[in-house]
Each structure stands twice: as structure tokens, then as C-alpha cells.
């Protein structure tokens, strides 16, 4: 405007050269506010041990509740669950919901054992327990007929999309978690040009450049995983005529690599979804 031009004219030096243009500084107040809120919430919820406190239903079960607290805390520490819970809190404030996939994992690898006075390494069970995995909000496909935070109880299905390498898929097949991986890799083919990365990158300003998308990397495939409530008899998957949860894993080419009963006693989809603004 005229005031700005008049001010710049007054700032000319003796040689008539204008000073450099002022630098625009963007202060991310919204980001700072959300980050402060997430830090406060995570400090309150995760700043104690055990994180998941349990209460005994009867006086004779007090010791059992304490032992279970120790097991849950061990699972959380060994699987770096605090980082996943932080991500869920952050997503809840940024996207109005945050999701976690809860799975049971057996990890095998080199284990040290003592034989006399010598140490010996051999393959063995390194970790067996729960593992939390943060779900990208743009790669979550819940049952839209129920509220998000109730979908793991009332919904008929929850699916997620993830990018996995062929080597990881073959390892899962060797551990008898998946089947028909070779057929899945052949049917999936190369990523299509319209396989766009998650919009999470776009929101943080990293939609390209040095960050490669899964479509740019060979050997990575889009894998879909989820659980469905179905009647096995109607689907010709057994003789049971009441509904139960089944777990499915397949690639975008349509090749199913896993189809089996979920087999968890709680009878819910193995996902935790929180909505800060649901009530």
C-alpha cells in the first residue's frame, strides 16, 4: 500500500538502493497448541508405572492383579508401546480420532544362554506378548454405521492398509502366519500410478522431494488386513451357525494370504480407536 511504499522510500541509502524486503515469519500457533496439549495428556496418562493400573474384584485376587500389571508394563516397555500411544494421542488431536492395532507377536532371534562359565548364542524366543501399532488415519477403514470409538465392539468390520516388503511377507509365511505369498506377489504386480501416498505426508508438508513413496520402491506392496464378524456356516467356512470374528489379509490384487478365526477371548476387533470429541 502507499504507507508501505512511503516507508521503503524513506529507508533508501545514500546511493538510492532500497533495503532488502522484510522476511515473513510464520508462527505455528496451532501446531504449538496441539503439541502442548498432546504433551500434557501423555504426561498425565503415561507418566506413571504401571501405565495400566488394575483393581482386583475380590481380596483373594490382589496378587493376581499386581502380576498382570507387571506383565502389561513389560509388554509396553519391550514393544515401545509408549511411542505408539503418543502417536494415538497426537492423531486424536490432529484428526479428531486416533487408532491402534493390537496384536500378539512372537519374535525369534539370537538368545544368550550360559553353559558352564561360557556364553552361547542360539536361536530362541526373544519376545512374546502384545504389540501396539499406530494406524495412519488415512489407512483406516472402519464400519461407518457405528461411532468410531465403539467400532471395535459394535462394528462388523475394521480394515487397515499398510505397505510391506516382499521379504517381510516371506518371513511371515515361513513363520506360518501367512500363506500363498508367492501368488500374492505375482498377482499384485507393480504399484499403479494412482497409488498415492497417505495424505498424512501432505498435511505435514512432505508430499514429495527426498521422501520416497511406496510406489517408488520396488518390492513393496499394499497389504490389507482386518477382521470381520461373520457366520462361518453361511460363508462355507465351517459348521458354526453363530457369528464370530475372522481375520483376513490380502493384497490389492485380490490374493488372500490369511483367513482364520481371530480366536481372542475378548470377542472384539483388535483395534483401539479414540475420539476426543465423541461425547
Amino acid at each position: 500500500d502507499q504507507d508501505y511504499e512511503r516507508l521503503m522510500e524513506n529507508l533508501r541509502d545514500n546511493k538510492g538502493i532500497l533495503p532488502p524486503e522484510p522476511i515473513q515469519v510464520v508462527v505455528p500457533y496451532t501446531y504449538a497448541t496441539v503439541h502442548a496439549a498432546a504433551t500434557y495428556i501423555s504426561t498425565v496418562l503415561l507418566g506413571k508405572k504401571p501405565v495400566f493400573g488394575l483393581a482386583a474384584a475380590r481380596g483373594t485376587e490382589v496378587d493376581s492383579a499386581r502380576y498382570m500389571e507387571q506383565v502389561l508394563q513389560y509388554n509396553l516397555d519391550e514393544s515401545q508401546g509408549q511411542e505408539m500411544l503418543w502417536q494415538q494421542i497426537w492423531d486424536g488431536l490432529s484428526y479428531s480420532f486416533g487408532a491402534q492395532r493390537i496384536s500378539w507377536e512372537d519374535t525369534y532371534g539370537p538368545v544368550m544362554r550360559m553353559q558352564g562359565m561360557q556364553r552361547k548364542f542360539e536361536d530362541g524366543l526373544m519376545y512374546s506378548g502384545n504389540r501396539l501399532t499406530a494406524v495412519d488415519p488415512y489407512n483406516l477403514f472402519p464400519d461407518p454405521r457405528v461411532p468410531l470409538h465403539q467400532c471395535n465392539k459394535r462394528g462388523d468390520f475394521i480394515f487397515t492398509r499398510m505397505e510391506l516388503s516382499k521379504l517381510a511377507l516371506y518371513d511371515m509365511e515361513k513363520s506360518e502366519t501367512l500363506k500363498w505369498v508367492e501368488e500374492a506377489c505375482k498377482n499384485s504386480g507393480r504399484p499403479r500410478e494412482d497409488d498415492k501416498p497417505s495424505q498424512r505426508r501432505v498435511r505435514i508438508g512432505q508430499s514429495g522431494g527426498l521422501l520416497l513413496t511406496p510406489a517408488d520402491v520396488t518390492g513393496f506392496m499394499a497389504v490389507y488386513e482386518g477382521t470381520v464378524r461373520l457366520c462361518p456356516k453361511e460363508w462355507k467356512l465351517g459348521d458354526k451357525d453363530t457369528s464370530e470374528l475372522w481375520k483376513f489379509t490380502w493384497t490389492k490384487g485380490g490374493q488372500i494370504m490369511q483367513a482364520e478365526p481371530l480366536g481372542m477371548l475378548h470377542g472384539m476387533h483388535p483395534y483401539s480407536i479414540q475420539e476426543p470429541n465423541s461425547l
Side-chain angles (χ1 to χ4, degrees), residues 78-108:
E78 289 297 316
S79 63
Q80 299 178 335
Q82 288 91 342
E83 297 181 12
M84 301 298 103
L85 292 174
W86 157 264
Q87 186 65 55
Q88 185 176 17
I89 294 171
W90 175 263
D91 287 343
L93 297 175
S94 300
Y95 301 94
S96 296
F97 74 94
Q100 296 276 350
R101 181 171 65 251
I102 307 167
S103 59
W104 184 270
E105 181 175 291
D106 293 328
T107 304
Y108 294 89

Side-chain angles (χ1 to χ4, degrees), residues 14-276:
N14 296 331
K15 297 181 180 180
I17 301 176
L18 289 173
E21 290 287 335
I23 300 174
Q24 183 180 9
V25 178
V26 179
V27 181
Y29 287 109
T30 302
Y31 177 85
T33 302
V34 173
H35 210 292
T39 302
Y40 174 77
I41 295 172
S42 62
T43 301
V44 173
L45 297 181
L46 308 179
K48 54 185 176 66
K49 280 194 175 183
V51 173
F52 301 108
L54 303 177
R58 293 188 296 271
T60 56
E61 298 177 351
V62 173
D63 290 340
S64 298
R66 298 296 173 265
Y67 295 148
M68 181 56 70
E69 285 181 345
Q70 295 177 13
V71 172
L72 293 176
Q73 188 62 42
Y74 169 78
N75 287 176
L76 198 66
D77 294 338
E78 289 297 316
S79 63
Q80 299 178 335
Q82 288 91 342
E83 297 181 12
M84 301 298 103
L85 292 174
W86 157 264
Q87 186 65 55
Q88 185 176 17
I89 294 171
W90 175 263
D91 287 343
L93 297 175
S94 300
Y95 301 94
S96 296
F97 74 94
Q100 296 276 350
R101 181 171 65 251
I102 307 167
S103 59
W104 184 270
E105 181 175 291
D106 293 328
T107 304
Y108 294 89
V111 178
M112 185 187 71
R113 303 188 187 279
M114 297 297 296
Q115 290 187 352
M117 299 296 294
Q118 294 183 344
R119 294 181 299 177
K120 182 180 179 181
F121 290 90
E122 58 185 32
D123 289 337
L125 183 64
M126 299 178 61
Y127 172 74
S128 180
N130 293 303
R131 182 171 296 277
L132 301 179
T133 304
V135 178
D136 187 332
Y138 289 95
N139 288 335
L140 178 70
F141 308 102
D143 190 338
R145 300 169 297 179
V146 297
L148 278 173
H149 66 282
Q150 297 180 3
C151 194
N152 59 350
K153 296 180 180 179
R154 296 174 50 197
D156 282 346
F157 62 87
I158 299 180
F159 295 110
T160 58
R161 181 183 185 273
M162 52 188 171
E163 305 291 338
L164 294 178
S165 70
K166 292 182 179 180
L167 291 177
L169 294 176
Y170 283 125
D171 287 341
M172 296 172 71
E173 185 177 34
K174 293 175 183 177
S175 64
E176 299 183 353
T177 303
L178 302 179
K179 291 185 178 181
W180 310 295
V181 173
E182 183 68 27
E183 292 80 357
C185 293
K186 291 180 180 178
N187 295 337
S188 179
R190 293 183 58 83
R192 303 189 309 269
E193 294 182 357
D194 59 346
D195 282 343
K196 298 179 181 180
S198 167
Q199 293 299 308
R200 183 198 289 269
R201 294 171 178 262
V202 178
R203 289 201 60 169
I204 61 176
Q206 296 178 341
S207 58
L210 297 178
L211 289 178
L212 297 177
T213 65
D216 299 323
V217 183
T218 59
F220 263 72
M221 298 192 308
V223 178
Y224 296 86
E225 177 186 283
T227 49
V228 182
R229 190 177 304 278
L230 55 80
C231 180
K233 189 174 182 179
E234 294 179 356
W235 287 72
K236 298 181 180 181
L237 296 173
D239 297 329
K240 188 175 181 181
D241 57 358
T242 57
S243 65
E244 63 180 6
L245 289 177
W246 276 59
K247 182 178 180 181
F248 292 89
T249 304
W250 73 96
T251 58
K252 68 175 185 180
Q255 175 64 54
I256 294 178
M257 297 182 292
Q258 183 182 24
E260 60 183 355
L262 182 61
M264 292 186 176
L265 297 178
H266 52 64
M268 297 186 295
H269 299 281
Y271 295 89
S272 172
I273 306 176
Q274 55 104 353
E275 288 184 283

